[in-house]
Amino acid sequence: MTTLVVVGQGYVGLPLAEAASSRGIAVYGLDLNESTVQQLNGGYSHIDDLANDDVSRMLTQGYKATSDYSVVREADFVTICVPTPLGSDGGPDLGPVISSAKSIAEHLQSGTTVILESTTYPGTTEEVLVPLLEESGLIHGLDFHVAFSPERVNPGFPEYGIRNTPKLVGGVTSEGTQSAVRFYSEFVETVVPLKGAKEAEMAKLLENTYRHVNIALVNEMARFSHEMDIDIWEVIRGAATKPFGFQKFSPGPGVGGHCIPIDPNYLSHHVKKTLGYPFRFVELAQEINNNMPAYVVQRTVELLNGKRKSLNGSSVLLLGVTYKPNIADQRESPAVPVAEQLVKAGADVCFYDPYVETWNIPSGPLMRVSSLRSAVKSADLVLLLQAHEDFDFDGLLEDSKLFFDTRGVAGVRAATL
């Protein structure tokens, strides 16, 4: 039986562990957060995409959560699925990857294949991970193999998961590629080998840079379309009818999540550091997308002025504060800078989100309203930041004095971007 150790049991690592255990692979879910380990071993999930029943089923299939790196000694494969947040220099903070690699090296056995899934800049697997693992005394390419396989988890998107999303694999050596391909083929329908680890690392960054740039395009078009009295949502609806040469992207109050607002910066930072010139598309896209929260606040001021009200002292109800619809994930949510700017401008801000009970922004916690309908009726302006399916938009529009829809879902009676 194949034994797998998945380092990191968050939004990436836990679904990977679930998919592998469902195919008869013995899985250790390794996480340094003792509370997470206890929760998982008790059959409780802490992420949106897996229910408690899923975790309970994993336990019956042999899954075990642990914080003890010694389980690496039993592993045929080790996958590293730890966060790579944006560092102070604009590149990825590789601290979690480096720490994991050093701990793995202390227990690494001959014959093991180590696969990095955490998003990073091209060259990390070969230039950072391999030397750290060789501190074990084992020789890469002879005693163990290393590959990179970018995570493609899309939280809250049930149509595609680990099993039916094609898996890219690039080894530092051809043997590393082959080993990783054989492993993922046990539980992933389509595995796509690439030339090497750098190509796999770059492919992940291309995917997210593509989305980042195209979101910036429609965000900028939304701004000048408003000035030209053009309905951007109708424009997008029309363009999206073309069956080729166009992919639909929608504007919004900004971009959120761990990938889109962060990953392209890894590439931009690496290009500038390595080659000495900027990746201008990414820098421009970042500027546009980062300015969207301020634009939303500016539009809020204009809408209130149209009702002879000042933002200072007005009550603003925020609807939806997560970065994606229908999940509780708040990572890098653009709702945070929107709320922060509204508070600093003197607005009386509260929120409602069916997935979020408590919400803190840099200036402090915001009140979650207990009665949505009453709050909508009393608010000077209702600001929709995330379009959860739970919301009754017809009812919200009916009850609100002024409704600002940043997601283009509420209909013609609402003010939009």
Side-chain angles (χ1 to χ4, degrees), residues 242-285:
K242 188 177 182 181
F244 56 90
F246 182 83
Q247 184 178 0
K248 178 182 176 181
F249 288 86
S250 298
V255 292
H258 180 263
C259 293
I260 306 304
I262 294 178
D263 294 357
N265 289 306
Y266 300 165
L267 185 54
S268 179
H269 176 269
H270 190 61
V271 168
K272 184 175 286 188
K273 180 179 178 181
T274 305
L275 303 178
Y277 55 81
F279 188 178
R280 289 182 292 172
F281 263 116
V282 165
E283 293 185 358
L284 180 58

Side-chain angles (χ1 to χ4, degrees), residues 10-11 101 126 129 132 151 209 299 314 316 331 372:
Y11 281 91
E126 185 173 354
L129 181 59
L132 289 171
E151 60 89 4
T209 301
R299 288 290 313 283
S314 289
V316 179
R331 292 177 295 175
L372 177 57

Side-chain angles (χ1 to χ4, degrees), residues 112-124:
T112 303
T113 296
V114 179
I115 306 169
L116 179 62
E117 290 209 1
S118 305
T119 305
T120 184
Y121 62 83
T124 302

Side-chain angles (χ1 to χ4, degrees), residues 120 139 173 191 210 287 303 366:
T120 184
I139 301 172
T173 63
V191 181
Y210 173 82
E287 178 185 339
L303 290 167
L366 289 183

Side-chain angles (χ1 to χ4, degrees), residues 83-95:
T84 46
L86 199 62
S88 58
D89 62 349
D93 177 2
L94 294 180

Side-chain angles (χ1 to χ4, degrees), residues 340-355:
E340 188 69 14
Q341 292 181 44
L342 289 171
V343 169
K344 286 183 177 179
D348 180 11
V349 183
C350 56
F351 84 98
Y352 179 81
D353 191 305
Y355 297 89

